[in-house]
Amino acid sequence: MKIALLGAESTGKSQLALKLSARLQQSGLRVHRVDEYLREWCDIETRTPTRAEQHHIAQTQMARVLATPAGAVVIADTTPLMTAVYNQMVFDDHSLDVYALQQQALFDITLLMGLDLAWVSDGLQRVGAHVREPVDQKIRQLLAQANLTYQVVYGIGEQRLENALFCIARQAPHLAKQLERPEPPLRWSGPCESCGDGDCEHRLFSSLVKG
């Protein structure tokens, strides 16, 4: 099983990847976490990648996902879809879109981080809080374009982890017992068809979590 974590900058992807890995391992599952290659690349090169280097970033990220051990639950801290989104925003280049969506379709579960966490500066990849909403919109647009389902994760601290586990149990009912989650009777995935309001979406998700 492959679980993708998507989201704008400073929305808790890496922290959630760590916490999810630990919790799933505690549940007896074999887990392999794939960290964000872009962060590693920027640390080594001490700069952000150029337009010509975006394909390398996306392909290396996915190669590491596909190289994970058979039978493991893979938690990917970002996917080529995020590279495609930033390629659009920074370089007005859509050449990665088709590849990114093809690779995204290989994931069993896609979790999109909500924008309810405070923005924090952290390294070369961070631009500013003002880009988070446009990035979030582009992620949703690409997923909708390919008719790929996703679930949005909100919550502060441990509640974010609990909500992520709730989403996983909904998408993979066979894991509900192992994750100590009751199998939910309903399934919810984004985007909200009645409106695009984030607060409305948050209230809907919160009501589902409370049962």
Side-chain angles (χ1 to χ4, degrees):
M1 174 176 290
K2 295 179 178 63
I3 301 172
L5 305 186
L6 304 178
E9 61 184 53
S10 196
T11 53
K13 294 188 297 296
S14 298
Q15 187 176 44
L16 181 59
L18 288 169
K19 290 184 175 182
L20 268 179
S21 297
R23 179 66 70 87
L24 294 181
Q25 286 173 338
Q26 290 172 5
S27 298
L29 295 169
R30 186 182 181 194
V31 180
H32 187 88
R33 191 183 75 247
V34 179
D35 293 330
E36 183 182 22
Y37 174 62
L38 175 61
R39 179 182 295 274
E40 176 187 328
W41 193 94
C42 290
D43 287 344
I44 293 172
E45 301 293 335
T46 65
R47 62 179 176 84
T48 55
T50 64
R51 177 177 179 174
E53 293 165 327
Q54 297 298 315
H55 284 260
H56 165 72
I57 299 296
Q59 290 169 351
T60 302
Q61 182 73 36
M62 197 62 195
R64 292 185 176 186
V65 169
L66 297 177
T68 53
V73 175
V74 179
I75 299 176
D77 175 8
T78 203
T79 75
L81 190 76
M82 293 308 307
T83 310
V85 166
Y86 282 103
N87 201 38
Q88 286 185 26
M89 294 194 65
V90 178
F91 302 109
D92 192 25
D93 181 0
H94 291 255
S95 63
L96 270 173
D97 293 4
V98 172
Y99 169 78
L101 290 173
Q102 289 173 340
Q103 302 310 304
Q104 193 64 38
L106 300 178
F107 288 90
D108 302 286
I109 298 173
T110 296
L111 303 181
L112 173 62
M113 304 299 101
L115 302 181
D116 52 333
L117 299 183
W119 183 86
V120 177
S121 177
D122 179 24
L124 293 170
Q125 303 108 298
R126 300 282 169 88
V127 178
H130 64 285
V131 304
R132 297 204 302 176
E133 187 171 341
V135 167
D136 182 78
Q137 291 174 350
K138 286 186 178 295
I139 295 170
R140 293 169 186 253
Q141 288 168 0
L142 278 173
L143 291 170
Q145 176 183 320
N147 198 29
L148 295 174
T149 60
Y150 62 94
Q151 299 196 70
V152 185
V153 179
Y154 292 98
I156 307 300
E158 289 302 306
Q159 189 59 52
R160 206 173 191 82
L161 171 62
E162 293 303 316
N163 289 349
L165 290 168
F166 174 86
C167 288
I168 292 170
R170 293 180 74 82
Q171 291 283 78
H174 63 287
L175 293 180
K177 184 175 181 180
Q178 198 162 358
L179 295 176
E180 299 180 351
R181 293 293 187 283
E183 183 177 338
L186 300 173
R187 177 180 175 185
W188 178 79
S189 61
C192 177
E193 293 183 355
S194 60
C195 70
D197 179 62
D199 290 336
C200 174
E201 181 183 71
H202 192 182
R203 288 193 298 272
L204 173 61
F205 183 81
S206 297
S207 68
L208 286 169
V209 170
K210 292 176 182 177

